[in-house]
Amino acid sequence: MKKQFTFLSIFLFLLGFSNVKLPLIFSDGMVFQRNKKIPVWGWAEANEKIDLHFNKQHKTVITDANGKWMVNLDPENAGGPFQLTVSGKNKITIQDILVGEVWICSGQSNMEFQMYKLPNFKALKEKINNSEIRQFGVAQDLSGSPKEQLKQGKWQLANKENLADFTAVGYFFAEKLNKELHVPIGIINTSWGGTCVETWTSREAFQKSDEFKEMIAQVPVVDMDAIFEKYKKSVLDNIQKIQGFDVSKANEEQFHLENFDDSKWPEIKVPSLWENQQIGNIDGEVWMRKSFEISPEQANKEAVLYLSKVDDEDITYINGVKIGSMNLWDSKRIYKIPAGVLKQGRNTIAVKVIDYTGGGGIYGDSGDLKIEFKDSNIPLSGLWKFNVVKVKLEISPNSYPSLLYNAMIHPLIPYAFNGVLWYQGEANVTRANQYKIAFPQMINDWRNQWKQGDFPFYFVQLATYNENNGNSNFGSKWAELREAQSEALKLKNTGMSITTDIGDPKDIHPTNKLDVGLRLAAIALNKTYGIKTVPYSGPVYKSSEVKGNTIVLTFDFVGKGLQPENQLKGFEIAGEDKVFYPAVAVIQNNKVIVNSDKVAKPVSVRYNWADDASAGNLYNLDKLPAAPFRTDNWELTTAKEKYTISK
């Protein structure tokens, strides 16, 4: 039955190709990779002769029995604009083609993060008009099996009209390369917020993996309708198990009232996105309630509610009175509480959270979650009651492995490019230890699928974000994920951009994408384009040596030296009891000497090992930050967490 379905799908797909057709990426304004063979492919009738003309080249090819064809144009130098014509029974002409450098930009929300979200976008938009920088935006799509054609997509020039939808990281990377190399730059933006690495990896790669082959054997190759029915049952059953009752809007009209009995509702930590808690990766509507006490002095007075941020929309009540609403997922909620709303004794805040896509819930810094009076405040962080009343029943990219590889990567193969930029990992922090296998596996998978050798694969290490106050003593999944990312550097032709110093502890989507793009560009300029005068790495931990009550650390990529010489921050030290204490750290002869009067016999040093890793200040003189590290190999908090599929 599966074979029949697959054959029928291919037959119906090819049936539409009696005329010559091309993949969507072959369209006006496209950019070809210079100095490499240029694969061009498409579909027509079986055994049809196809003629291609590009620049001074002329190629012919005969389609195969299924009507598919492919030809390699000879390598071209940078330049353009050129025209490509493809002729069979019909003729296709593609205009305004440039030849230059092509890079794939992929990952989750921080790669997807568009230019219009930058604080200074309005000013940038008026200044940027560069027809040599172009983006192909791959439309978001899912598929249970590898697709031949993208759902949608088009090439756009970097100008006032189009700039808003460019990936910010990708644009700033392209802008720097264009300035330094003086050639056109094309970026292929195929990204989706909130997605895990497993959905970007092919089924074939999982089948060859000792770590994942048992998992993938349980995932049948089925159509999306079958996947949806299974997903729907899994989501609703899971919520019912968590809540103890079904997803329903019954009695919802009472949920905002002060005296509504929420004693049977379960609890969730606030502030924190619910994807990282028991609710899991759902979109929909969730009511959240919390009771608090008001003193006689505070009663009946005006106050201000600080609700941190809500992803995506909130409708907020106190004691049954609506006090505010907003539908901007990345904006802080600050609502005035009129006099007379708050009363002495028990009060209740009720928030209806509506999550349309991606992360959901009340999130941000716990200090931004409070009721403030002129002379006092009431903290609201901690456990809140919740009730999921509606679930948006659409298949998530994370519902099954390979869904995004099938729909958003496979149709691009074998398009010629130079390298990949990758910004992802936030969705994998709960399985950080397994990411040491999953991430390199995906890199190797893409290289194997494209058959273009070990092309450059440069990625962004997670920025600082204080999700759960994680640290060395309580465990930090974010630190563990950063370590897992650094393990991928063992692969040939990889590079990692450190961003712990340019993140925002209160925002999982920091807006400084300029420096992220520039740091990735520095790696590419040095390692890919051979401009060795461009520094691209901060200090990287190499080795340690215990000397009495100190530990001496040695680093690679010291460059012209380490800084600052005094008042180093972010270092911790522990003995055999595995309890870490803040350490005194100083630079001597480009080594770092670490000690603490609380640890007489030190065993381990950690640096910037925390969710919020913004405290560390070790740099080299090129002003590039040191990567977080640890000198021990003690078991991680995510050591036993594995990727699984809901039954």
Side-chain angles (χ1 to χ4, degrees):
M1 187 66 178
K2 293 176 187 174
K3 290 182 179 179
Q4 290 177 350
F5 175 80
T6 303
F7 176 79
L8 180 61
S9 299
I10 294 173
F11 175 75
L12 291 174
F13 175 77
L14 294 174
L15 193 61
F17 294 117
S18 57
N19 285 329
V20 175
K21 291 193 177 181
L22 297 171
L24 292 179
I25 198 167
F26 290 90
S27 55
D28 291 347
M30 68 188 300
V31 183
F32 280 151
Q33 174 62 43
R34 64 171 175 166
N35 302 331
K36 286 186 178 182
K37 289 182 179 180
I38 304 170
V40 182
W41 71 98
W43 306 269
E45 285 191 356
N47 303 313
E48 183 177 348
K49 180 182 178 182
I50 308 297
D51 282 284
L52 292 89
H53 292 268
F54 179 75
N55 198 5
K56 299 177 182 180
Q57 298 190 50
H58 174 218
K59 302 282 186 179
T60 62
V61 64
I62 304 297
T63 64
D64 66 18
N66 294 316
K68 189 166 183 178
W69 58 268
M70 189 184 82
V71 65
N72 286 314
L73 296 175
D74 298 330
E76 293 273 356
N77 295 324
F82 301 114
Q83 182 182 89
L84 172 69
T85 62
V86 182
S87 304
K89 292 185 177 180
N90 61 308
K91 181 178 179 180
I92 298 174
T93 301
I94 299 175
Q95 309 279 4
D96 190 27
I97 300 173
L98 300 183
V99 179
E101 289 296 308
V102 179
W103 286 76
I104 291 176
C105 300
S106 189
Q108 55 181 108
S109 53
N110 275 304
M111 181 60 82
E112 182 183 5
F113 191 102
Q114 300 95 332
M115 290 287 286
Y116 75 83
K117 296 178 181 177
L118 297 173
N120 61 337
F121 173 68
K122 289 184 179 180
L124 282 173
K125 184 174 67 170
E126 298 303 319
K127 293 188 291 186
I128 294 174
N129 184 20
N130 190 340
S131 63
E132 287 197 340
I133 298 176
R134 304 177 176 194
Q135 172 180 274
F136 182 83
V138 175
Q140 294 180 343
D141 191 20
L142 309 174
S143 179
S145 58
K147 294 182 70 173
E148 294 291 328
Q149 182 69 289
L150 295 169
K151 177 182 179 181
Q152 195 175 348
K154 62 180 179 178
W155 285 95
Q156 292 183 309
L157 282 60
N159 56 32
K160 184 177 181 179
E161 289 72 31
N162 301 323
L163 189 66
D165 290 327
F166 272 58
T167 160
V169 169
Y171 173 78
F172 291 123
F173 171 88
E175 183 181 59
K176 181 64 173 176
L177 260 59
N178 178 248
K179 179 180 178 181
E180 298 296 330
L181 302 177
H182 308 291
V183 300
I185 308 295
I187 52 176
I188 300 171
N189 179 13
T190 178
S191 53
W192 192 324
T195 54
C196 62
V197 73
E198 292 85 0
T199 193
W200 294 101
T201 306
S202 76
R203 183 182 186 91
E204 181 182 352
F206 289 122
Q207 290 171 333
K208 295 178 180 178
S209 167
D210 290 339
E211 180 75 13
F212 293 102
K213 62 184 179 183
E214 183 176 341
M215 174 277 297
I216 200 65
Q218 307 303 313
V219 182
V221 180
V222 294
D223 65 280
M224 295 307 291
D225 288 340
I227 290 178
F228 173 74
E229 289 303 318
K230 185 175 180 181
Y231 168 73
K232 176 181 177 180
K233 183 179 186 305
S234 171
V235 169
L236 295 178
D237 286 353
N238 184 57
I239 297 299
Q240 196 281 334
K241 181 179 179 181
I242 292 169
Q243 295 189 154
F245 46 86
D246 291 334
V247 174
S248 169
K249 288 202 167 192
N251 303 317
E252 184 186 20
E253 71 280 359
Q254 302 177 33
F255 291 174
H256 69 292
L257 299 177
E258 170 193 358
N259 295 321
F260 175 76
D261 182 8
D262 59 20
S263 60
K264 294 183 179 180
W265 289 15
E267 293 180 324
I268 194 170
K269 179 183 176 183
V270 177
S272 181
L273 294 174
W274 59 52
E275 274 77 359
N276 301 320
Q277 303 188 69
Q278 66 266 44
I279 294 180
N281 186 26
I282 67 161
D283 301 319
E285 299 176 11
V286 180
W287 278 89
M288 306 180 75
R289 290 170 54 95
K290 186 175 181 65
S291 296
F292 55 93
E293 295 293 319
I294 289 290
S295 69
E297 295 77 21
Q298 296 167 329
N300 298 311
K301 290 184 177 180
E302 285 189 356
V304 178
L305 170 64
Y306 291 84
L307 196 60
S308 196
K309 299 179 182 180
V310 181
D311 195 346
D312 292 290
E313 181 179 352
D314 72 288
I315 306 171
T316 299
Y317 305 83
I318 291 183
N319 294 335
V321 178
K322 181 180 177 181
I323 62 164
S325 180
M326 187 182 294
N327 64 356
L328 299 174
W329 64 271
D330 59 346
S331 294
K332 292 182 179 180
R333 272 56 170 175
I334 303 175
Y335 299 138
K336 180 180 178 180
I337 305 174
V341 173
L342 297 170
K343 63 177 186 176
Q344 181 181 346
R346 184 177 180 270
N347 293 251
T348 301
I349 178 173
V351 182
K352 183 177 183 178
V353 178
I354 305 170
D355 176 32
Y356 298 107
T357 186
I362 302 171
Y363 74 103
D365 186 73
S366 58
D368 293 329
L369 195 60
K370 61 187 176 181
I371 293 176
E372 186 173 86
F373 298 89
K374 288 184 178 180
D375 55 358
S376 62
N377 65 71
I378 299 173
L380 295 175
S381 61
L383 295 177
W384 286 48
K385 298 282 189 175
F386 75 89
N387 183 343
V388 181
V389 297
K390 182 180 179 180
V391 175
K392 183 180 177 182
L393 289 169
E394 294 181 357
I395 298 172
S396 161
N398 296 330
S399 298
Y400 291 89
S402 309
L403 295 183
L404 296 191
Y405 169 83
N406 291 336
M408 297 175 65
I409 297 299
H410 188 267
L412 297 172
I413 300 170
Y415 196 84
F417 63 95
N418 205 340
V420 172
L421 305 180
W422 178 259
Y423 195 160
Q424 187 273 338
E426 298 91 339
N428 278 87
V429 293
T430 57
R431 302 188 303 277
N433 191 55
Q434 194 180 42
Y435 198 78
K436 294 177 181 178
I437 299 173
F439 183 34
Q441 173 181 276
M442 191 210 75
I443 297 173
N444 286 327
D445 181 33
W446 288 19
R447 288 173 170 175
N448 291 335
Q449 299 289 346
W450 248 283
K451 297 179 174 62
Q452 291 188 23
D454 293 328
F455 53 74
F457 198 106
Y458 303 144
F459 53 93
V460 181
Q461 191 180 54
L462 290 190
T464 187
Y465 176 61
N466 194 22
E467 183 175 64
N468 290 307
N469 296 312
N471 58 31
S472 292
N473 287 321
F474 297 102
S476 169
K477 296 174 183 178
W478 281 68
E480 293 176 19
L481 197 285
R482 294 187 193 109
E483 179 183 75
Q485 289 176 309
S486 67
E487 289 288 308
L489 293 172
K490 295 175 181 178
L491 295 182
K492 184 180 179 181
N493 218 4
T494 54
M496 182 174 72
S497 174
I498 313 302
T499 61
T500 46
D501 62 324
I502 54 176
D504 184 342
K506 299 179 182 180
D507 193 344
I508 199 170
H509 303 116
T511 58
N512 184 358
K513 297 298 191 263
L514 171 61
D515 285 321
V516 179
L518 292 178
R519 289 180 183 180
L520 286 169
I523 299 173
L525 289 170
N526 186 300
K527 299 187 68 172
T528 301
Y529 300 108
I531 306 176
K532 299 302 181 184
T533 55
V534 177
Y536 70 91
S537 177
V540 175
Y541 167 70
K542 181 180 180 181
S543 63
S544 65
E545 182 182 2
V546 178
K547 290 189 175 182
N549 66 343
T550 69
I551 294 182
V552 181
L553 305 172
T554 305
F555 296 86
D556 288 325
F557 296 99
V558 170
K560 299 174 183 177
L562 301 177
Q563 63 169 331
E565 292 186 2
N566 300 305
Q567 297 182 330
L568 282 174
K569 300 176 182 178
F571 285 89
E572 302 171 288
I573 195 167
E576 292 182 353
D577 60 0
K578 301 182 182 181
V579 177
F580 283 87
Y581 297 92
V584 175
V586 296
I587 297 171
Q588 293 181 9
N589 299 320
N590 283 330
K591 296 183 178 182
V592 176
I593 316 299
V594 185
N595 74 89
S596 169
D597 56 11
K598 294 184 178 180
V599 182
K601 296 181 179 181
V603 175
S604 173
V605 167
R606 292 185 177 182
Y607 172 71
N608 254 4
W609 194 268
D611 293 2
D612 177 4
S614 56
N617 65 343
L618 177 63
Y619 290 76
N620 57 22
L621 292 177
D622 294 313
K623 298 181 180 179
L624 291 171
F629 66 89
R630 59 177 181 144
T631 65
D632 61 84
N633 61 354
W634 296 332
E635 185 173 85
L636 302 175
T637 59
T638 61
K640 295 180 174 63
E641 299 299 322
K642 301 292 184 179
Y643 178 68
T644 58
I645 302 299
S646 299
K647 300 296 185 181

